[in-house]
Amino acid sequence: MLVDDAVALVPSIPGRRALLGLVGAPAAGKSTLARRLVAGVNERLGADTAAYVPMDGFHLSNAQLDRLGLRDRKGAPETFDVDGYVQLLRRLRSERERPVYAPDFDRRLDEPVAAGLVVPAGTGLVVTEGNYLADDGPGWGHVRDLLDELWYVDAPRRLRERRLLRRHVRGGRTESEARAFITASERPNALRVERGRAHCTRIVVPGQPDENGTWEV
């Protein structure tokens, strides 16, 4: 089971924290899997043994995207603060004496939220996830260097795009606007993500996926 493998990553050496990365195309089910892994590890080893820190907290704000002319490319690699994300990963690996605060992403606001998450000092495993953890673009290669393992989360394109359509409509787009955004942005981003599969240590495929994502962990 996947939880067994996540538990095995929890280090026994004092002062060391392990980082597990999950990468995959938009709406592949990365966040669902990450949360279930964290819950499973904590159930086995005790509360706060594992924590969840998504890459999405490093989305550039909508104001910055407007300034850069990238609002219609939101979700592409250049619309994230990769350097900030790398610095957080470095701190998570080395800082065990004090809590580490991390940004979160609010889908209702469609904006990052500063210090929305906290990793307690005693946490031994951080599960992080995002689209570009295996990317070769500027800055992204440093992410792989900081991860103990990197799992590629695979899911059929048709299922992913149904989830994306529902997500964007719930976020305020009309159905036609959502479909246009998926075609213009989400689909090219997914193709770019898929090119990073070779950098991953494992391919994870959900069993019998449904609209909400079903994981046997």
Side-chain angles (χ1 to χ4, degrees):
M1 293 177 66
L2 298 177
V3 169
D4 294 330
D5 297 327
V7 167
L9 290 174
V10 178
S12 58
I13 302 172
R16 181 179 181 274
R17 178 180 282 132
L19 301 182
L20 168 61
L22 306 179
V23 64
K30 301 181 296 296
S31 60
T32 299
L33 177 58
R35 290 188 178 97
R36 294 190 181 182
L37 289 172
V38 168
V41 171
N42 287 338
E43 182 178 350
R44 299 267 193 94
L45 302 180
D48 295 332
T49 300
Y52 169 53
V53 178
M55 185 194 81
D56 276 357
F58 289 89
H59 270 285
L60 297 182
S61 69
N62 290 330
Q64 293 299 331
L65 294 176
D66 288 339
R67 181 182 67 83
L68 295 167
L70 292 172
R71 185 71 169 266
D72 61 347
R73 291 287 294 131
K74 188 168 186 172
E78 62 271 23
T79 67
F80 288 88
D81 175 15
V82 60
D83 296 322
Y85 181 53
V86 167
Q87 289 301 318
L88 175 66
L89 294 180
R90 287 176 175 153
R91 187 177 172 202
L92 287 170
R93 285 193 69 86
S94 62
E95 177 63 78
R96 291 291 302 273
E97 301 301 320
R98 301 169 60 195
V100 176
Y101 293 92
D104 199 1
F105 187 79
D106 189 322
R107 291 195 183 278
R108 294 170 300 175
L109 298 175
D110 198 32
E111 291 274 18
V113 178
L117 300 170
V118 60
V119 178
T123 295
L125 172 68
V126 170
V127 181
T128 186
E129 54 85 9
N131 294 347
Y132 304 112
L133 276 60
D135 198 80
D136 283 324
W140 293 103
H142 297 302
V143 173
R144 297 197 304 274
D145 295 338
L146 293 165
L147 301 175
D148 291 276
E149 287 198 21
L150 179 57
W151 298 356
Y152 187 90
V153 181
D154 206 357
R157 173 180 146 182
R158 186 173 298 178
L159 174 64
R160 290 190 291 97
E161 293 194 354
R162 284 202 300 268
R163 292 173 180 166
L164 286 169
L165 179 62
R166 185 174 60 219
R167 178 186 297 176
H168 290 311
V169 169
R170 285 177 176 173
R173 288 186 170 95
T174 65
E175 183 171 333
S176 61
E177 289 171 339
R179 291 186 184 279
F181 186 76
I182 289 168
T183 299
S185 184
E186 303 279 25
R187 198 172 290 165
N189 291 344
L191 292 174
R192 177 163 179 166
V193 171
E194 289 169 5
R195 294 200 293 268
R197 287 173 65 112
H199 295 309
C200 297
T201 54
R202 178 175 189 165
I203 308 298
V204 178
V205 180
Q208 301 299 317
D210 61 18
E211 291 299 319
N212 298 309
T214 298
W215 291 98
E216 190 68 38
V217 299

